[in-house]
Amino acid sequence: MNKKWRKQKKYGEHFKNTNDFIQKLNDYIYYYNNDRISLKLKGMSPVQFRTHSFTS
């Protein structure tokens, strides 16, 4: 990864260091897969939809 990019803004946010960036990226990935509701997935998160598909 480009060192300059790591410390740049993400929606107006500055990262203190690489670990801060990685933690926020991991938090976002978790949100995107577990908490985000998608109408295309019948109002479920991607994880809920996959779990529902396997149990049905």
Side-chain angles (χ1 to χ4, degrees), residues 34-55:
N34 294 285
D35 298 331
R36 177 184 58 96
I37 302 302
S38 175
L39 295 177
K40 290 181 181 178
L41 302 178
K42 301 177 184 177
M44 294 183 256
S45 73
V47 171
Q48 288 172 327
F49 186 76
R50 273 184 260 133
T51 303
H52 176 73
S53 295
F54 289 132
T55 59

Side-chain angles (χ1 to χ4, degrees), residues 7-48:
K7 294 186 179 189
Q8 284 181 342
K9 296 179 183 179
K10 177 191 166 263
Y11 302 109
E13 190 171 346
H14 288 280
F15 301 108
K16 297 173 189 167
N17 54 43
T18 304
N19 290 334
D20 185 40
F21 169 75
I22 291 170
Q23 181 59 48
K24 295 198 185 212
L25 180 61
N26 286 335
D27 291 345
Y28 180 76
I29 291 170
Y30 181 86
Y31 159 78
Y32 192 85
N33 288 324
N34 294 285
D35 298 331
R36 177 184 58 96
I37 302 302
S38 175
L39 295 177
K40 290 181 181 178
L41 302 178
K42 301 177 184 177
M44 294 183 256
S45 73
V47 171
Q48 288 172 327

